[in-house]
Amino acid sequence: MHSTTHSTKHRVYKKSLTAAALAVAAAFSLAACGSDDGGSSGKSPVADVSGQTRTQAATVLDTPFTKPDFVLTDTHGKKFDFRKETKGKPTLIYFGYTHCPDICPLTMGNIAVAKKALPKSEQSKLQVVFVTTDPARDTPSELGKWLKAQDPSFIGLTGDFKKIQAGARQIGIGISPTTKQKDGTIVSMHGAQVIAFSPKTDKGYLLYGEDTTVKDYTKDMPKIVKGENP
């Protein structure tokens, strides 16, 4: 399972963070997901922002991230220009992989439940994008099957790993190639942040950590759809 040793990480704080500072810290702090057998190891995947006061689920970035510029392949095998396709739409993005036994399905499941609590008209506006960190195994077909169990409307993207890694870095999320351990466990190191992009500015202005609950997302989503601060 993911490490929960550092209780001050993955929290939300009164003071906002600069995107630049967060990017530097997050790039060097990754989570390790295990393979099908459930093995995993690694450090907590969010920048250490201890010493500040928790007030809400989201960290509001005082210098929002510019939307990453990459073109990947969706679950239908078609090219998906992330910046173009999500322009002017409230968007949540998460980097993970389908063989992850814990954090990835939990995060996407929480978002799926919270999204269903929105009015139908707002549900259709929200874009939820899952980008694989394990493109060798997460083919468009595999991604499609996995996301269908979460929410059929979720967008799954795969493609060249270096392109995915570069896109993640643009919004302060560090990921590393999958590695096989001595016991055969395949491990993927990736940041577990969810970034919300405003439909007003197309900037990534909110960050959520891996311990964000269904209740947290449900409370904040009406604001996210409008591009407002929670």
Side-chain angles (χ1 to χ4, degrees), residues 34-207:
S35 62
D36 302 307
D37 62 6
S40 64
S41 62
K43 297 181 178 180
S44 189
V46 167
D48 185 355
V49 285
S50 57
Q52 300 188 63
T53 304
R54 178 177 182 174
T55 59
Q56 56 185 15
T59 296
V60 180
L61 303 175
D62 60 357
T63 305
F65 288 114
T66 296
K67 188 170 286 186
D69 185 15
F70 55 63
V71 178
L72 296 171
T73 303
D74 67 16
T75 55
H76 302 291
K78 298 181 179 180
K79 295 299 181 183
F80 188 95
D81 185 323
F82 180 74
R83 187 175 286 183
K84 178 180 178 181
E85 296 294 338
T86 62
K87 182 177 176 60
K89 300 175 182 179
T91 303
L92 299 179
I93 189 171
Y94 180 79
F95 290 79
Y97 71 123
T98 65
H99 289 76
C100 174
D102 38 45
I103 291 301
C104 300
L106 176 62
T107 298
M108 299 308 290
N110 286 347
I111 292 173
V113 172
K115 182 181 177 182
K116 287 181 175 64
L118 287 170
K120 291 290 185 180
S121 60
E122 295 188 349
Q123 287 185 38
S124 61
K125 295 177 182 179
L126 183 67
Q127 305 293 296
V128 180
V129 181
F130 179 90
V131 185
T132 182
T133 60
D134 183 17
R137 291 188 293 174
D138 285 343
T139 63
S141 176
E142 288 300 313
L143 268 179
K145 293 176 183 176
W146 189 80
L147 287 172
K148 185 177 181 180
Q150 306 286 341
D151 186 317
S153 72
F154 286 178
I155 298 165
L157 300 180
T158 186
D160 178 72
F161 177 80
K162 289 185 178 179
K163 186 180 293 186
I164 292 170
Q165 185 180 51
R169 284 175 176 168
Q170 290 177 42
I171 52 175
I173 299 175
I175 63 175
S176 297
T178 55
T179 58
K180 181 177 287 188
Q181 299 182 327
K182 292 181 180 180
D183 63 358
T185 299
I186 296 176
V187 176
S188 177
M189 301 288 287
H190 64 88
Q193 306 96 318
V194 172
I195 305 293
F197 291 89
S198 167
K200 296 179 179 179
T201 64
D202 275 324
K203 299 286 188 179
Y205 74 116
L206 300 176
L207 178 146

